[in-house]
Amino acid sequence: MNANISHIIFKHKESIIDQWLEEIPKFRTEDSLQNITDAMYENTNREFVDKLLSTVKNQTNDHADLVPFTERLIQLGWPLNYITRGLQEFRKITVATLSKSETDYNDSIELLQEIENWIDEIVNLLVNEYSGSWENTVFLQKMALKELSAPLIPVVDKISVMPLIGTIDTERAKHIMENLLTGVIEHRAEVVLIDITGVPVVDTMVAHHIIQASEAVRLVGAKCILVGIRPEIAQTIVNLGINLNKFPTKSTLKKGIETALEMTKRQIVEMEG
Amino acid sequence: MQVQTHVDINSEWGIVAARQAGRKLAREIGFGSVDQARITTAISELARNIYLYANKGQIYIEEVSNANKRGVKITAIDQGPGIKDVRKVMEDGFTTSGGLGAGLPGVRRLMDDFTIDSEVNNGTTISAIKWLR
Amino acid sequence: MRIPILKLRDYLLISVQVELDDKTALQFQEDVLSKIHEEGSRGVVIDLTSVEMIDSFIAKVLGDVVDMSNLMGAKVVLTGIQPPVAITLIDMGIMLEDVPTALDLEQGLDRLQLELEG
């Protein structure tokens, strides 16, 4: 920033800080800011405004030294909208203060522009940091969801179980189908139990996806048993007129495993003695 | 640099050549094995339709992209007899060749975008895009 | 191009190792049927582990081979259909219903034995 202007801003530092600290609490409505102590709140505000003013001294518009502080704000859960409002307020106060007291400064337009640029750069930096952290979070959640999505678990030789949990949309159905089929090959499963205990709603669409998956399983050379059919699910299936007759269905995983053992010509026997 | 290849379909070997070109491009773009199979199969259906109904035509296979994704586009062009009732050929199980009647409706399900443009006695243009997920 | 057909006792074993073009597929259909006729085979295993793509035409040829062989008194089991191929067939709405399948050649033979005894 222009050394002259930075000098002027610096001269009014105390006044700007005081006004800002007075104004800023009116934005403290967000839940995340209600939960912290007043002392912590005031300290962080003060640190924030100090950091802002310290960037005035930067010759360039590179405010990299704000990054660690921003990261802390993100971690503490300070909402972006509070921060941007704080910055807008800061700009208003700075412009108001300077235009009142520096009437003899010969180029007020230049002064305004410098302040605009300065604050804009900081806004950009903060928004970038925040959105970067959001994207990261969304990415991690997606990955977590994918992992949780559809594991095929080998239970005993030739028998595997795929527990489905949560809502099944088209995108997830595709993913489930791929996991199911590669798992069948990998574990050399002859029977796969698809457990829908954890699927909240089975509508025509979900049933269609499950039927397609079991048809595909048949093509690669294994068989499906649909288990975990709760009474309300059985009701919807019949009421919707969905035909699940092509493959066996059982109410519980336990019964399904018994059927699977039968199909692979085995049984569980109790040891004597 | 976006790649475009084209294969002339005037014999059964054209069908195989088009499939192979499609699989190669799909693999290069980064499609997984399942989508590679979908794309290859769609090309095979379109190429066979050309051979069966128009005797000859072209299959164009190219990489496409829009604001945030990449994909592969297949365009099948022939100057054959055209399709009288487009709605009818998009129905599952409808066939005039004694096949399964899964061809065109199948292609539409295998790919993401699908357009068909046909005029009787003036040929048919079908294009289909699969986007990289 | 011709796909080799092996005879093992009452069975025919076929492993498709090439990309199927239309002519090869039709030739294959003819060869299987005449081999069943010659050998009086009771069962056929067609292993598709190396096949990367099955479109509606090839699916029809395979389905026809199964039906025709059944007519001639030979059961057919398809084995080794790869996941991408299975998914593509399902997407196309081709279920190959009533066609027995198994994971691989070995299990295909077991399956045949089961079908023939039952």
Side-chain angles (χ1 to χ4, degrees):
Chain A
M1 178 180 290
N2 177 323
N4 219 347
I5 295 174
S6 102
H7 176 73
I8 295 170
I9 294 175
F10 225 70
K11 207 167 71 187
H12 297 282
K13 185 180 162 193
E14 290 310 319
S15 151
I16 293 174
I17 291 180
D18 288 345
Q19 289 178 64
W20 190 76
L21 287 176
E22 210 168 289
E23 288 296 322
I24 192 74
K26 73 181 180 202
F27 299 126
R28 187 189 178 182
T29 51
E30 298 274 345
D31 288 345
S32 47
L33 291 179
Q34 295 294 343
N35 293 337
I36 55 174
T37 63
D38 288 350
M40 173 83 168
Y41 175 72
E42 276 159 30
N43 279 342
T44 311
N45 272 338
R46 180 162 285 278
E47 198 184 344
F48 183 42
V49 72
D50 282 343
K51 290 265 187 225
L52 282 183
L53 280 164
S54 73
T55 62
V56 168
K57 281 175 284 184
N58 288 352
Q59 294 297 317
T60 63
N61 272 336
D62 171 29
H63 304 302
D65 38 337
L66 274 177
V67 170
F69 180 68
T70 314
E71 277 168 4
R72 235 177 68 219
L73 286 178
I74 295 171
Q75 267 178 1
L76 292 171
W78 284 50
L80 176 60
N81 115 34
Y82 175 84
I83 307 288
T84 48
R85 283 174 146 190
L87 279 165
Q88 286 161 4
E89 198 60 34
F90 182 83
R91 172 163 55 197
K92 260 191 238 162
I93 290 167
T94 310
V95 170
T97 308
L98 296 194
S99 55
K100 239 184 286 165
S101 42
E102 296 290 333
T103 44
D104 54 338
Y105 189 74
N106 51 15
D107 197 342
S108 55
I109 300 280
E110 191 198 356
L111 179 69
L112 278 178
Q113 274 174 345
E114 280 286 339
I115 294 174
E116 290 273 311
N117 287 343
W118 171 45
I119 301 291
D120 281 351
E121 279 302 320
I122 295 175
V123 170
N124 286 345
L125 178 131
L126 283 167
V127 170
N128 271 341
E129 285 295 312
Y130 266 87
S131 65
S133 108
W134 289 330
E135 276 158 20
N136 204 15
T137 311
V138 169
F139 176 75
L140 289 177
Q141 282 175 344
K142 258 193 190 156
M143 290 300 288
L145 196 69
K146 219 173 177 185
E147 280 170 11
L148 169 132
S149 191
L152 185 69
I153 307 160
V155 188
V156 291
D157 250 13
K158 303 179 183 179
I159 300 175
S160 293
V161 176
M162 176 168 277
L164 296 181
I165 291 164
T167 311
I168 298 170
D169 57 13
T170 308
E171 192 60 26
R172 239 193 111 200
K174 280 186 181 165
H175 186 68
I176 289 169
M177 170 110 86
E178 286 177 31
N179 274 9
L180 189 58
L181 297 192
T182 44
V184 165
I185 305 273
E186 192 181 323
H187 306 314
R188 297 182 51 80
E190 285 179 29
V191 181
V192 183
L193 299 124
I194 300 181
D195 184 358
I196 58 166
T197 311
V199 179
V201 183
V202 177
D203 56 11
T204 339
M205 199 62 194
V206 173
H208 173 75
H209 288 316
I210 293 173
I211 292 170
Q212 291 218 311
S214 60
E215 290 285 350
V217 166
R218 194 180 58 80
L219 284 181
V220 299
K223 294 191 185 75
C224 267
I225 303 176
L226 190 61
V227 303
I229 305 199
R230 290 169 278 133
E232 67 269 28
I233 301 273
Q235 283 172 320
T236 19
I237 287 175
V238 173
N239 287 338
L240 288 172
I242 299 166
N243 185 358
L244 290 180
N245 296 343
K246 273 191 207 150
F247 47 100
T249 52
K250 296 282 168 219
S251 57
T252 61
L253 182 59
K254 184 171 167 287
K255 290 212 173 95
I257 299 231
E258 284 164 10
T259 311
L261 285 169
E262 258 170 52
M263 287 164 71
T264 50
K265 296 198 170 58
R266 288 171 300 170
Q267 59 179 355
I268 296 176
V269 289
E270 273 184 46
M271 304 277 283
E272 276 176 45
Chain B
M1 181 52 199
Q2 306 224 318
V3 202
Q4 188 191 39
T5 45
H6 100 270
V7 179
D8 285 319
I9 307 296
N10 46 29
S11 73
E12 283 175 354
W13 289 107
I15 304 175
V16 176
R19 287 204 296 242
Q20 281 165 351
R23 184 177 287 274
K24 182 163 167 286
L25 182 63
R27 193 185 295 132
E28 281 166 8
I29 293 176
F31 281 100
S33 61
V34 176
D35 280 340
Q36 282 179 33
R38 289 193 173 107
I39 292 162
T40 316
T41 309
I43 291 173
S44 189
E45 300 293 346
L46 294 174
R48 177 165 299 102
N49 276 354
I50 291 178
Y51 178 66
L52 229 51
Y53 299 110
N55 292 322
K56 58 185 194 329
Q58 289 84 39
I59 295 272
Y60 290 85
I61 302 160
E62 61 195 304
E63 187 186 335
V64 288
S65 53
N66 70 9
N68 49 22
K69 48 189 178 176
R70 299 206 298 158
V72 62
K73 180 178 183 181
I74 313 164
T75 311
I77 301 171
D78 69 59
Q79 272 75 46
I83 299 167
K84 218 186 283 171
D85 188 346
V86 171
R87 209 165 38 89
K88 195 103 196 163
V89 300
M90 294 311 295
E91 280 171 17
D92 276 306
F94 176 79
T95 176
T96 55
S97 65
L100 293 175
L104 285 182
V107 173
R108 183 166 60 179
R109 280 195 295 267
L110 292 171
M111 305 292 281
D112 296 321
D113 301 348
F114 182 90
T115 56
I116 179 165
D117 192 4
S118 184
E119 204 180 312
V120 174
N121 296 328
N122 236 337
T124 303
T125 300
I126 296 174
S127 54
I129 300 177
K130 186 87 195 161
W131 297 107
L132 200 56
R133 268 188 276 156
Chain C
M1 200 174 337
R2 282 177 114 119
I3 296 166
I5 301 174
L6 305 178
K7 173 182 155 336
L8 181 80
R9 302 211 177 90
D10 281 352
Y11 303 139
L12 299 181
L13 301 185
I14 301 142
S15 170
V16 180
Q17 301 279 356
V18 293
E19 183 172 348
L20 286 170
D21 62 273
D22 299 10
K23 272 215 177 74
T24 312
L26 289 171
Q27 180 70 55
F28 166 69
Q29 175 174 315
E30 224 162 273
D31 289 351
V32 172
L33 296 178
S34 47
K35 196 87 176 173
I36 291 173
H37 183 70
E38 270 167 45
E39 309 285 350
S41 316
R42 297 200 301 144
V44 181
V45 182
I46 303 176
D47 184 61
L48 301 167
T49 307
S50 315
V51 172
E52 289 185 317
M53 187 223 67
I54 295 181
D55 64 5
S56 64
F57 179 80
I58 295 167
K60 174 152 178 16
V61 172
L62 285 173
D64 287 351
V65 168
V66 174
D67 290 343
M68 294 165 183
S69 305
N70 282 343
L71 277 177
M72 296 178 65
K75 290 261 179 230
V76 183
V77 177
L78 300 184
T79 65
I81 296 180
Q82 294 299 300
V85 176
I87 294 173
T88 309
L89 284 171
I90 298 295
D91 277 356
M92 302 252 296
I94 300 169
M95 306 293 183
L96 290 175
E97 285 173 72
D98 311 321
V99 177
T101 54
L103 283 177
D104 53 28
L105 217 86
E106 197 183 335
Q107 290 192 6
L109 279 170
D110 292 349
R111 176 90 201 249
L112 259 188
Q113 216 127 30
L114 218 71
E115 297 259 332
L116 290 173
E117 284 164 13

